Amino acid sequence: MLKIKKYAAIDIGSNAMRLLIMNIIEEKGKDTIFSKSSLVRVPIRLGQDSFTKGEISKEARSRMVDAMKAYYLLMKVNKVERFMACATSAMREADNAAELVEEIYKESKIKISIIDGKKEAMIIASSDLKQYITENSDVMYIDVGGGSTEFTIFSKGKQVNSRSFENGTVRLINDMVSKHVWVDIENWIKENTKGLEDLLVIGSGGNINKIFKMSGKTQDKPLTYSYLHQQYNRLKDMSYEERISLLGLNPDRADVIIPALKIYSNAMKWSGAKYIYVPKIGVSDGIVKAIYHDKIPLDYQTMDLE
C-alpha cells in the first residue's frame, strides 16, 4: 500500500530564502521516493546587511517576517506534517539574529535554528548521493552559498572529511574575502584530495544549477572543468546588464554567478578533477532527508493543521 507524507525545509541563506515542500512516498518492499512538490525562493540577500554592517536591516527584517508568514501558510495548505527552518552564515554573523529569530517565531510560528558551518556540511552530505558515492569512487562535494562554501570529501563510499570556509558569493562581490582564505582553501583541497584518483566533483547551489541549465545537458551528464572556466571568462567579460538582458539571468543571480564559478573552477583545478556533476540537491533536500532518516539531531517542528 502506498503512503504519502509531506515534509518541508526552509533554507535561510545569505543570498536567498527557500521553502522546499517534498512528497515522501513509501511503499512496502521498495526504496522511499523523495519528490519535490514545490519550491519558493525569495531573494532577500541577508548577507549584504550582515557581512557589511553586522546586522540585518529593518527593511530586510520586515521582508523576512512577511516571507516566513507566507511560508507557514503555504505549508499549512499543502498539509505539511514536519518541517525545519535553518539559517546559515548571514544569520550566524548578525548581531541582531537572536532578536529576529524571536520576532519571526512570534509572528509566523516558525522557529529558526541557526546552524554552524559543520552542521551545514553534515546536512548537505545527508542528501541522497548514492549514485555518485560508491565503494569504487572518490568524490568532493561542493556547496557554494552567499556567505560560505562547504566542502565534503568521500572516499570509497565513506565520508572522510568536511570543512566550511567563509568564502561565499555575497562576500566576494563585497570584496570581503582575503587572499589568505583562498590559500587556506587551496591547501585544504590539495591535502585532502592527494592520492585520490579519478576524483569526481558534485556541485550544489543556485549558481551551478543555473550554469548547468544553460549548458543544455541532461541530468546524468557532467560539466567539464574547461567548460566552467570558459563560462567564467565569458560571463566576466559581459556587463551586469548584458547578463540580464542577453542571458535572461535574474538580477540577484547576474552578479553572484561569476564569483560562484570562480570557486568551483578553482576547486576543480586544485583537486585535479576533470568533471563536475550537478544533481538537483542542496541544503533544503538535506534537511528533509535528515529529518526523515533521523541521521542528524534536528529540532524540527510539526504543523498544526487545524
Side-chain angles (χ1 to χ4, degrees), residues 8-14 16-18 46 64 68 83-92 101 110-116 119-120 123 283-284 286-288 290-291 296-301:
I10 298 172
D11 170 21
I12 303 165
S14 302
M17 291 170 47
R18 298 171 183 84
L46 299 175
M64 192 175 175
M68 297 298 271
F83 73 95
M84 184 177 181
C86 286
T88 52
S89 56
M91 289 285 281
R92 282 199 296 266
V101 167
I110 293 175
K111 179 169 57 177
I112 295 172
S113 295
I114 300 176
I115 58 174
D116 59 25
K119 180 165 274 191
E120 185 177 356
I123 288 172
V283 174
S284 303
I287 292 171
V288 169
I291 292 172
I296 302 168
L298 294 178
D299 190 14
Y300 67 81
Q301 291 177 258

Side-chain angles (χ1 to χ4, degrees), residues 28-43:
K28 191 173 181 180
K30 296 185 178 181
D31 291 340
T32 301
I33 297 172
F34 295 85
S35 174
K36 183 175 76 175
S37 175
S38 65
L39 176 66
V40 181
R41 179 180 181 274
V42 182

Side-chain angles (χ1 to χ4, degrees), residues 120-157:
E120 185 177 356
M122 289 172 65
I123 288 172
I124 293 165
S126 72
S127 298
D128 187 5
L129 302 172
K130 61 185 177 183
Q131 72 180 99
Y132 305 102
I133 300 171
T134 68
E135 292 182 356
N136 301 314
S137 67
D138 294 320
V139 173
M140 178 167 64
Y141 185 98
I142 309 172
D143 181 76
V144 175
S148 63
T149 296
E150 276 62 50
F151 295 90
T152 307
I153 307 292
F154 299 87
S155 182
K156 306 301 179 278

Side-chain angles (χ1 to χ4, degrees), residues 133-189:
I133 300 171
T134 68
E135 292 182 356
N136 301 314
S137 67
D138 294 320
V139 173
M140 178 167 64
Y141 185 98
I142 309 172
D143 181 76
V144 175
S148 63
T149 296
E150 276 62 50
F151 295 90
T152 307
I153 307 292
F154 299 87
S155 182
K156 306 301 179 278
K158 295 183 179 179
Q159 181 178 331
V160 295
N161 210 345
S162 67
R163 179 82 183 270
S164 176
F165 291 92
E166 290 188 350
N167 184 358
T169 58
V170 178
R171 290 188 199 273
L172 285 165
I173 63 173
N174 284 284
D175 197 24
M176 297 181 69
V177 179
S178 68
K179 185 178 179 181
H180 178 72
V181 174
W182 284 107
V183 171
D184 282 349
I185 295 173
E186 180 179 359
N187 291 339
W188 187 89
I189 289 174

